[in-house]
Amino acid sequence: MGKKTSDQAGLDRRGFLTGVAVAGGAGLSGPAQAQSNPAQAQPAPAPAARPKAPLPTAAQTAAENEHPPHMEALTTEKTGSDFMVDVCKTLNIDFLASCPGSTFRALQESFINYGQNKKPEWLTCLHEEVSVGMAHGYAKVAGKPMAAMLHGTVGTQHAAMGIYNAYCDRVPMILFTASAGPVEDRRPGVEWMHSVQDGAATVRDFVKWDDYPWSLQSFAESTVRGYALACAEPPGPILITADGKLQESELSKQEEAKLRIPKLTRGTQTVGDPAALKEAAKMLVAAENPVITVDRYARSQQGVDDLVKLAELLQAPVVDKQSRMNFPSQHYLYQNARGGALVGQADCILALEPVDLFGQLNRVRDQIERTWRRTSKPNAKVISLSTHDLLMKANYQDFQRYSAADLAITADAQATMPYLIEAVEREIGDRKSMFTARGQKMRDAFKAFAARAHADGALGWDSSPISGARMFAELWNQVKNEDWAFMTPNNYSGNWQHRLWPIEKHYQYIGSSGGSGVGYEPVAALGAALAHREIGGRLPIAIIGDGNFNMAPSVMWTAAHHKIPFLAIIQNNRAYHQEVMHIQRMANRHNRGVTSGVIGTEITDPNIDYAGLAKSYGAVGIGPISDPKELGEAIRKGVAAVKAGNPVLIDVVMQPRG
Amino acid sequence: MKIFTITLAATLSLCASAAMAQQAAPAGNIENGKKHFNSDGCWQCHGTLGNGANLTGPKLANTELPFEAFLMQLRQPSNDMPPYEAKIVSDQTVADIYAYMKSLPKSPDAKSLPLLTGMGVK
């Protein structure tokens, strides 16, 4: 943003004169006073001694505004990209994350100047995977989408994996990409490389909808339509391509007057058919050993509270697959600790938004011959209540193996829950105490879970590398009086969050990555931390594997730059450990080289200095900590720094797996 | 791991020869056991001190399994654990690993760790 050279300023004739006029004719003291942005051209208090210059007459102004026929028009007051910003502003989008790219240069300039960089505020990311991952994590906490802008071709390619994660996780986001426009307008070289006939093709298999609007009116309609579609259950990312020519072309008053931005109407959610709900209620009430399995279900506290109500009505255990925070971990009906056994004994299973129904009912063994067996009873009745079948595409296989339920209710489970509760209440009638004995069994079983978790947690208590349970215990000790919230899944950290901490509120855990694309943890955490910052008063925590972190360490810079505080604990096992185990498995299977599984999977020699890396990005960096006795103090310092408004990274050298 | 142990014992009584089932654990070399535990991949799924990890492998430190069951798990894993045949980890090496696991100091009693039991979970 250097100052204009006098040559450029001299050519900016229209802006130059405006500046002079607004400044009250302070004299033609040179091009440095030229102002093309009216917002910056606030009249400075005129020096008292100076004589007032006469204002230009109407005829003079008209003559200046009309372009002299012999000179090329090199500036314009309003462009298509300004209108695109108007469209986005009607959608109440708070943030737009982006790594810069010239294909959307007009749009970027319009957002920051014409749109005054508010609603949405432009956030600087250092990789497109960070931009979309941020949008992913943000939506899960804020309960509404944010936007990300991707450079034509190369930017969308960078973003692809993050989009896939959000698609698999059924999370809404509003994505824009761009293309340089018609062939005869393109500059040779890079503009061709970054132009594309069908920019969405790269990601079409895993966005919910996309469009390349060829007019501004169409841009308005597609963006509003896209927003509504992104949010409709099951939600997902949508992608709009903003054509370069449409962005950069002048928008005349006449053309603008013809444009209409449609209003946004969000569709109501699909609710289960009453006859099917009645049938489901009958099956559940009649069952001796019903089990509720729950996966990508709750999108708000309401969903959690409703599920508690249903489970209590039936005194049925809940087995949580944890794609969302679905049920309070301290409720006696939260029976994950014996989930496998319960599903195995169940005579009726209600599966709420299962991501993988087959996997809930069967087990596949990872030996040379991939044998599988049903782990649930063959005659157990299975009811699914899910939007699974409403969004399915052919190519990517996130839909999992086909598994037929006995009663498949295609509907949004959270929206349907109050009606299912009603149906169950009706079916129970005045027999309210009929499940008391079952409830008592659940309470008794629950009592043993904590003791078991504590006994397991004591194993390797003083070990170095530090055990998962020890790390979570030290962390708890420092944040127990804060309004903490986890922003990362727990499958790589030994499930300790759910085993040792009382996770009661929906925002305290935002579930899994969706597509298991490595790199989700830091980027989603950044977006989630932004949403927590906006809500205020919370202490956002991310437990990030070292391999995961290395996909996007620059999140620490974006967090420092935009003042997004959060605590990142690097669960440093100095490897892509999942792959260490896979290679070991292959070596064993092939009866050779069982000592070399670490080649190509370990991240050692040299060890990475994560604290130093964080510091270089402007965040607070602490560690590495390998002695469990030093961990409490390190976390105490980290928490204090987060509360002071900083992003903080603590490098904890930990056991390979929780 | 209770359920697993019971299954394993049942499998053993079916599969293992009577002679093998009656064998006492061969004497093991703790140092060599430690070396192999760390070089042959056991630590990856069972923790660097055999302390176990929720999702990847049960605790092995101070194992209460009889040696035959321990050995059998390596040769014919009950479920997902990768197999270790005698060609790559001999019976003697398994005995060494077994001895090393038996020699490890016991983990503290959870009741003596208020930091652990003082978390919200009751």
Side-chain angles (χ1 to χ4, degrees), chain A residues 393-418:
Chain A
K393 303 206 185 192
N395 194 14
Y396 289 82
Q397 308 274 304
D398 69 303
F399 41 76
Q400 304 285 336
R401 189 161 176 187
Y402 182 69
S403 187
D406 297 282
L407 176 61
I409 307 175
T410 296
D412 175 54
Q414 175 164 332
T416 303
M417 193 49 66

Side-chain angles (χ1 to χ4, degrees), chain A residues 11-75:
Chain A
L11 284 172
D12 189 1
R13 194 171 162 72
R14 214 178 279 182
F16 174 58
L17 285 170
T18 317
V20 172
V22 173
L28 297 177
S29 54
Q33 289 206 2
Q35 300 274 8
S36 59
N37 181 348
Q40 290 172 9
Q42 292 305 313
R50 296 213 178 168
K52 273 191 180 171
L55 287 172
T57 63
Q60 277 171 322
T61 310
E64 280 302 339
N65 284 345
E66 224 156 87
H67 200 77
H70 62 282
M71 281 180 77
E72 184 189 352
L74 292 174
T75 63

Side-chain angles (χ1 to χ4, degrees), chain A residues 330 363-367 446 450 452 454-461 463 465 470 472-474 476-477 491 494-496 499-502 577 580-581 584-585 588 591-592 594-595 598 655-658, chain B residues 1-3 39-49 51-56 59 76-89 107-110 113 115-122:
Chain A
Q330 278 303 281
R363 185 168 179 161
V364 180
R365 191 167 180 245
D366 191 359
Q367 300 292 1
F446 186 80
R452 169 80 190 274
H454 292 149
D456 287 355
L459 303 173
W461 182 251
S463 71
R470 178 70 181 260
F472 278 100
E474 298 286 356
W476 169 265
N477 203 32
N491 40 343
N495 215 355
W496 289 116
R499 291 189 81 194
L500 294 176
W501 289 41
H577 191 74
V580 174
M581 294 186 291
Q584 185 71 42
R585 183 176 293 281
N588 286 31
N591 266 331
R592 61 190 178 204
V594 292
T595 57
V598 292
Q655 285 287 325
R657 276 286 177 277
Chain B
M1 281 326 294
K2 273 238 166 60
I3 296 170
S39 66
D40 297 359
C42 319
W43 62 277
Q44 298 167 11
C45 308
H46 294 285
T48 59
L49 292 172
N51 41 293
N54 273 332
L55 306 173
T56 55
K59 159 180 125 97
Q76 282 290 314
S78 64
N79 214 332
D80 269 337
M81 176 170 138
Y84 285 85
E85 288 196 350
K87 248 187 261 176
I88 51 170
V89 180
S107 287
D109 182 352
L113 303 171
L115 201 60
L116 176 64
T117 53
M119 281 180 270
V121 168
K122 299 273 170 324

Side-chain angles (χ1 to χ4, degrees), chain A residues 78-329:
Chain A
K78 181 129 193 182
T79 54
S81 55
D82 289 349
F83 175 73
M84 292 175 177
V85 170
D86 290 336
V87 172
C88 293
K89 284 205 178 253
T90 66
L91 299 173
N92 194 26
I93 298 170
D94 291 329
F95 299 101
L96 184 155
S98 181
C99 180
S102 58
T103 45
F104 55 77
R105 60 189 190 174
L107 249 180
Q108 179 166 353
E109 192 275 338
S110 290
F111 271 112
I112 58 182
N113 283 333
Y114 174 75
Q116 300 185 320
N117 200 21
K118 277 195 202 104
K119 284 218 167 239
E121 179 188 343
W122 194 276
L123 303 176
T124 315
C125 295
L126 307 186
H127 194 295
E128 286 81 356
E129 201 172 293
V130 179
S131 311
V132 293
M134 233 185 140
H136 187 169
Y138 173 88
K140 282 165 118 175
V141 175
K144 68 175 196 169
M146 64 175 257
M149 180 83 69
L150 315 170
H151 194 8
T153 65
V154 286
T156 316
Q157 289 160 3
H158 263 177
M161 190 214 74
I163 301 175
Y164 184 61
N165 270 343
Y167 171 78
C168 293
D169 201 21
R170 301 295 187 261
V171 168
M173 47 196 189
I174 312 302
L175 305 173
F176 295 101
T177 183
S179 186
V183 288
E184 63 276 21
D185 284 7
R186 292 178 200 161
R187 291 176 297 161
V190 179
E191 259 182 20
W192 277 82
M193 306 298 179
H194 295 171
S195 293
V196 56
Q197 296 271 51
D198 181 4
T202 318
V203 297
R204 180 162 297 127
D205 276 325
F206 41 88
V207 294
K208 212 175 156 186
W209 187 71
D210 69 84
D211 195 25
Y212 191 154
W214 283 103
S215 69
L216 289 174
Q217 182 56 39
S218 157
F219 179 90
E221 292 175 19
S222 291
T223 304
V224 175
R225 182 203 293 271
Y227 188 101
L229 274 174
C231 298
E233 296 294 328
I238 62 99
L239 178 72
I240 303 289
T241 305
D243 179 65
K245 177 131 183 159
L246 267 191
Q247 290 179 53
E248 296 196 12
S249 292
E250 181 164 18
L251 178 60
S252 70
K253 285 238 160 15
Q254 293 97 309
E255 277 175 81
E256 195 183 1
K258 285 190 239 154
L259 295 172
R260 296 279 174 273
I261 303 174
K263 75 170 177 183
L264 170 70
T265 302
R266 306 238 332 236
T268 57
Q269 312 295 9
T270 46
V271 169
D273 140 38
L277 293 180
K278 188 171 178 197
E279 178 67 19
K282 271 206 169 96
M283 290 160 76
L284 286 164
V285 171
E288 227 166 274
N289 295 310
V291 171
I292 301 171
T293 66
V294 58
D295 203 354
R296 198 163 45 217
Y297 159 74
R299 56 177 169 273
S300 66
Q301 189 62 38
Q302 189 61 52
V304 176
D305 296 346
D306 286 347
L307 182 54
V308 169
K309 211 166 166 191
L310 179 75
E312 285 179 354
L313 261 179
L314 293 164
Q315 294 295 323
V318 173
V319 177
D320 181 11
K321 296 290 171 185
Q322 300 174 343
S323 285
R324 296 286 184 271
M325 190 295 177
N326 292 311
F327 201 82
S329 69

Side-chain angles (χ1 to χ4, degrees), chain A residues 277-287 290 292 308-316 419-436 438:
Chain A
L277 293 180
K278 188 171 178 197
E279 178 67 19
K282 271 206 169 96
M283 290 160 76
L284 286 164
V285 171
I292 301 171
V308 169
K309 211 166 166 191
L310 179 75
E312 285 179 354
L313 261 179
L314 293 164
Q315 294 295 323
Y419 303 99
L420 179 58
I421 290 171
E422 253 178 53
V424 169
E425 275 171 342
R426 236 176 281 129
E427 193 58 34
I428 295 176
D430 53 9
R431 300 173 293 167
K432 287 221 163 57
S433 56
M434 69 192 285
F435 304 130
T436 314
R438 183 156 73 211

